[in-house]
């Protein structure tokens, strides 16, 4: 779908991250020319390549994928605009140790409770968020990210977004301002339930 058609269906106080993992370089450029500034990649290697390729553009690069321990230094050197996928206190501490300046980050919650997905469990999300806030001063935690169940069951997807938003509400008093939820297949439901950042890949492809 074209960016302008998607934009017209999304309130303008909601950030759109164009997930470029399926996009050609030309498509990234095209979206940039249409005004898109936030892009996300889920693999460090691809983020390195693309950040370098488009270094003359004013792109805010988001890292949204699984971070392996041996890639921590690479991620730090990339200085992402937002690291959306901090999954645990342990991971936050590992990154904290090596950071020289603050890194805007989100805590990823495994809201669908699927083994195949990364993230902290819903039960431990609040406690972990506070623990990272109190102990990792360079991890600038500013919200949460979640991925809903990958299924056709809208009730289940809604329930995942409701749960994420409930956690977000309790964290607002601790400075959380970003609730990143919603992808190509479910962003409309996510927005109905309080998302203020959607991550769109295939629909923009
Ligand atoms: C790939 C990916 C997306 C985008 O998924 P689409 O369904 O293609 O929109 C969003 N978030 C994360 C974490 C991803 O890995």
């Amino acid at each position: 779908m074209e960016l302008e058609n998607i934009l017209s269906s999304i309130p303008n106080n909601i950030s759109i991250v164009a997930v470029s993992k399926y996009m050609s370089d030309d498509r990234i450029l095209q979206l940039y020319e249409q005004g898109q500034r936030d892009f996300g990649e889920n693999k460090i290697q691809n983020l390195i390549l693309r950040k370098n390729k488009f270094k003359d553009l004013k792109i805010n690069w988001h890292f949204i994928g699984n971070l392996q321990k041996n890639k921590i230094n690479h991620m730090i050197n990339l200085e992402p605009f937002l690291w959306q996928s901090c999954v645990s206190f342990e991971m936050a501490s590992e990154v904290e140790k090596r950071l020289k300046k603050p890194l805007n980050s989100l805590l990823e919650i495994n809201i669908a409770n699927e083994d195949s997905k990364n993230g902290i469990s819903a039960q431990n999300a609040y406690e972990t968020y506070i623990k990272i806030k109190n102990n990792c001063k360079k991890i600038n935690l500013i919200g949460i990210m979640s991925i809903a169940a990958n299924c056709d069951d809208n009730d289940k997807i809604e329930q995942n977004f409701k749960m994420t938003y409930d956690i977000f509400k309790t964290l607002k008093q601790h400075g959380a301002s970003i609730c990143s939820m919603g992808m190509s297949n479910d962003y409309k439901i996510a927005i109905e339930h309080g998302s203020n950042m959607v991550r769109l890949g295939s629909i923009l492809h």
Side-chain angles (χ1 to χ4, degrees), residues 18-83:
V19 177
S20 47
K21 65 188 182 202
Y22 314 116
M23 291 177 198
S24 64
D25 292 341
D26 284 348
R27 181 61 176 150
I28 294 178
L29 212 52
Q30 206 176 43
L31 290 171
Y32 184 84
E33 280 161 5
Q34 290 171 39
Q36 180 64 32
R37 290 294 176 267
D38 290 84
F39 288 86
E41 283 286 343
N42 69 336
K43 295 214 168 75
I44 288 292
Q45 212 50 42
N46 293 341
L47 192 52
I48 292 172
L49 290 173
R50 285 192 145 157
K51 194 176 173 195
N52 194 40
K53 181 161 272 163
F54 295 112
K55 59 179 180 292
D56 297 332
L57 306 186
K58 290 188 166 46
I59 290 180
N60 301 323
W61 285 106
H62 296 236
F63 180 57
I64 61 173
N66 182 32
L67 179 62
Q68 292 161 285
K69 282 212 169 128
N70 62 356
K71 299 277 167 60
I72 291 177
N73 286 336
H74 288 300
M75 186 194 61
I76 290 175
N77 291 338
L78 279 163
E79 300 187 3
F81 178 76
L82 184 60
W83 173 33

Side-chain angles (χ1 to χ4, degrees), residues 19 21-22 42 64 145 147 183-185 199-202:
V19 177
K21 65 188 182 202
Y22 314 116
N42 69 336
I64 61 173
M145 184 267 262
I147 301 174
M183 314 193 339
S184 295
N185 290 329
R199 307 176 310 274
L200 305 180
S202 41

Side-chain angles (χ1 to χ4, degrees), residues 84-95:
Q84 296 210 13
S85 42
C86 177
V87 294
S88 64
F89 177 68
E90 287 67 34
M91 181 57 86
S93 307
E94 287 292 327
V95 174

Side-chain angles (χ1 to χ4, degrees), residues 67 97 135 166 195 199:
L67 179 62
K97 270 195 275 184
N135 294 283
D166 282 344
S195 168
R199 307 176 310 274

Side-chain angles (χ1 to χ4, degrees), residues 9 122 124 160:
S9 70
N124 294 328
N160 286 168

